[in-house]
Amino acid sequence: MDTLLASVQYVLGLGPTVILPIAIFLIAIIFKVPVGRAIRSAIIIGIGFVGINLVIGLLSQSLGPAAQQMVERFGLSLTIIDVGWPGAAAGSWASPVAAILIPICLVANLILIFFKMTKTLNVDIWNYWHFIAAGATGFIVTGGNWWFAILCALIYEVLCLWMADKTQHLVENFYGLKGVSLPTGSTAAFGFVGIPIGWVIGKIPVIKDLHVDPETIQKRFGIFGEPMIMGLILGIVIGLLAGYEIGETFKLGVSMGAVMLLMPRMVKILMEGLIPISEAAREYMKSRFKGRELYIGLDAALSIGHPANISTGLLLVPITLFLAIVIPGNKVLPFGDLATIPFYVSFVVASRNGNILHSVLSGTVVIAFALLMATDFGAVHTAMLDGVYKFPEGASELSTLDMGGNFFNWIILKFSQLWETFF
């Protein structure tokens, strides 16, 4: 088992830019795509993800220090540190249950497709770590119950696939990703809570009539409404809140403008490689299974390039820090996951048709709940990261918004605690 786990961790350590092209190539061959075309599509998809990761890296490297400066400037003293999704992923992959859960979750997906219980073929193997995190949660809470850990992972996977199916029309119509669904664990879980909250906000008098989207802003404000200028302005505001000097503030603004401009172009490159595979999959399903439809499940990174999404995410950064201060009972200091907020609001933004105002209001409510769930998750999350992540100075526990503040995983936590209590 140790050898298997080490082998799995080595392969997964190569990251999605290697794993995804391999998976896409194999799927392309299964769906009868010519070998040359399959290789070309797989490589383009890999290059697209390299580009997306570079832009996300720029976002993280720029926002991370700014967030830390805001924390220090406003004197926040919260004892559970948000170490970010990379820490949660590392803890999940290091879990004893990781090696067996990958093939189990993959086979489970195929079985669900065969019995028409899902339309999503989830090829985003890297993000299986969310399923593994759920399994690891059950494993830790029950003191090492392997069967229960597998059950927890499968429950989480089914919930994500169900959400991916239910939101595919949003992904296709709003983000323009035809034949693609997004089963990413955190995106699905935050969307499950955020979509109905957004629906309620869209019914509130006065607020329901306010529509603020990138197109409206650009039409009304001209060049100042362009996505890159919006990014520049939001970056400058965050820099000022962090107490940066003028040069550093402007540098942060330019970086955020670059994110707004470059991300959609990186997604376009990835889609160039994906479209042939998606079309081949649909044709294959039509010929073999009349009337059936198949979606290719990919990373929610594909959605964050939309100007409404990234604008909502950036606006929620200072709001999240403010919520951490004022919410009674919260002990989580947001930090590592601030740059990934656009992932959490992907479905919310799409469900509000790009209305930034409605999306920010919805996101504010969702993140308020997420902070409290992440606080409740502190002890178990810390146990998962034991020996994997070094404790930051001043922290008594570790958690994340991505995993600890994730509604699906919190349900798994409560389920595991009930199981341990009664069984």
Side-chain angles (χ1 to χ4, degrees):
M1 183 61 73
D2 289 341
T3 303
L4 177 61
L5 181 58
S7 301
V8 169
Q9 288 175 338
Y10 171 77
V11 173
L12 293 170
L14 298 174
T17 56
V18 173
I19 296 171
L20 187 60
I22 294 173
I24 289 293
F25 173 77
L26 294 175
I27 288 169
I29 296 301
I30 292 171
F31 290 134
K32 309 299 183 182
V33 176
V35 174
R37 196 177 183 191
I39 292 173
R40 184 178 186 276
S41 291
I43 292 173
I44 289 175
I45 287 171
I47 291 170
F49 259 96
V50 168
I52 288 172
N53 286 338
L54 286 173
V55 179
I56 292 174
L58 173 62
L59 180 65
S60 301
Q61 292 163 17
S62 302
L63 270 186
Q68 191 168 9
Q69 284 288 99
M70 278 191 268
V71 167
E72 294 174 0
R73 189 180 186 202
F74 294 109
L76 305 186
S77 55
L78 301 167
T79 56
I80 302 178
I81 304 299
D82 163 27
V83 299
W85 73 263
S92 300
W93 291 126
S95 168
V97 299
I100 64 167
L101 284 180
I102 295 172
I104 288 174
C105 289
L106 182 57
V107 170
N109 187 188
L110 296 174
I111 291 172
L112 290 170
I113 289 173
F114 180 80
F115 286 106
K116 302 181 181 180
M117 299 176 71
T118 185
K119 297 178 181 179
T120 295
L121 174 61
N122 186 5
V123 302
D124 185 19
I125 307 297
W126 165 256
N127 272 310
Y128 275 37
W129 78 260
H130 288 99
F131 311 151
I132 295 168
T137 298
F139 187 80
I140 290 169
V141 173
T142 59
N145 186 325
W146 285 80
W147 293 110
F148 186 77
I150 293 170
L151 175 63
C152 289
L154 292 175
I155 291 172
Y156 194 106
E157 180 181 21
V158 168
L159 289 171
C160 289
L161 292 172
W162 176 79
M163 271 299 291
D165 287 348
K166 293 296 183 182
T167 55
Q168 196 279 330
H169 68 286
L170 297 175
V171 174
E172 183 161 323
N173 297 331
F174 184 74
Y175 292 116
L177 303 174
K178 190 175 182 180
V180 173
S181 64
L182 306 177
T184 305
S186 53
T187 303
F190 278 79
F192 182 80
V193 180
I195 290 174
I197 290 173
W199 181 85
V200 171
I201 287 173
K203 298 296 181 181
I204 298 174
V206 181
I207 292 178
K208 69 178 182 179
D209 299 320
L210 299 175
H211 193 87
V212 183
D213 59 25
E215 292 76 18
T216 303
I217 294 172
Q218 187 168 352
K219 184 177 179 181
R220 184 167 296 181
F221 296 101
I223 188 175
F224 293 101
E226 291 186 15
M228 65 176 179
I229 303 299
M230 290 168 59
L232 173 70
I233 293 169
L234 290 172
I236 288 173
V237 169
I238 292 172
L240 292 173
L241 289 172
Y244 280 3
E245 53 94 14
I246 296 300
E248 288 298 312
T249 298
F250 187 70
K251 183 178 178 181
L252 178 60
V254 172
S255 295
M256 295 302 97
V259 169
M260 296 282 273
L261 180 66
L262 293 174
M263 185 61 80
R265 300 187 182 192
M266 297 302 106
V267 173
K268 187 176 179 181
I269 291 173
L270 189 144
M271 288 306 299
E272 181 185 339
L274 182 63
I275 287 172
I277 312 299
S278 181
E279 290 177 347
R282 280 199 300 275
E283 291 302 317
Y284 182 88
M285 295 300 290
K286 285 179 182 178
S287 64
R288 295 297 182 93
F289 305 98
K290 190 175 181 179
R292 290 203 60 184
E293 193 173 13
L294 185 70
Y295 309 139
I296 304 298
L298 292 173
D299 195 324
L302 288 172
S303 68
I304 71 169
H306 195 285
N309 196 347
I310 197 73
S311 297
T312 299
L314 289 176
L315 287 168
L316 283 170
V317 169
I319 291 173
T320 300
L321 289 167
F322 176 74
L323 290 173
I325 300 170
V326 300
I327 293 177
N330 173 60
K331 296 180 182 179
V332 173
L333 175 61
F335 176 61
D337 275 330
L338 289 174
T340 51
I341 291 176
F343 284 81
Y344 308 153
V345 296
S346 289
F347 290 158
V348 178
V349 172
S351 71
R352 302 318 306 154
N353 199 29
N355 189 324
I356 296 172
L357 176 62
H358 289 188
S359 300
V360 168
L361 293 174
S362 305
T364 299
V365 177
V366 172
I367 288 175
F369 285 127
L371 287 168
L372 293 174
M373 288 187 286
T375 297
D376 188 39
F377 225 116
V380 173
H381 211 317
T382 302
M384 186 183 300
L385 296 178
D386 185 34
V388 176
Y389 196 93
K390 184 179 179 181
F391 261 70
E393 185 177 348
S396 62
E397 291 181 345
L398 306 175
S399 192
T400 59
L401 292 178
D402 196 299
M403 179 190 146
N406 174 317
F407 183 75
F408 288 169
N409 217 33
W410 186 76
I411 291 296
I412 293 295
L413 174 67
K414 297 294 111 179
F415 175 48
S416 303
Q417 290 171 342
L418 283 173
W419 183 279
E420 180 65 10
T421 299
F422 294 105
F423 299 99

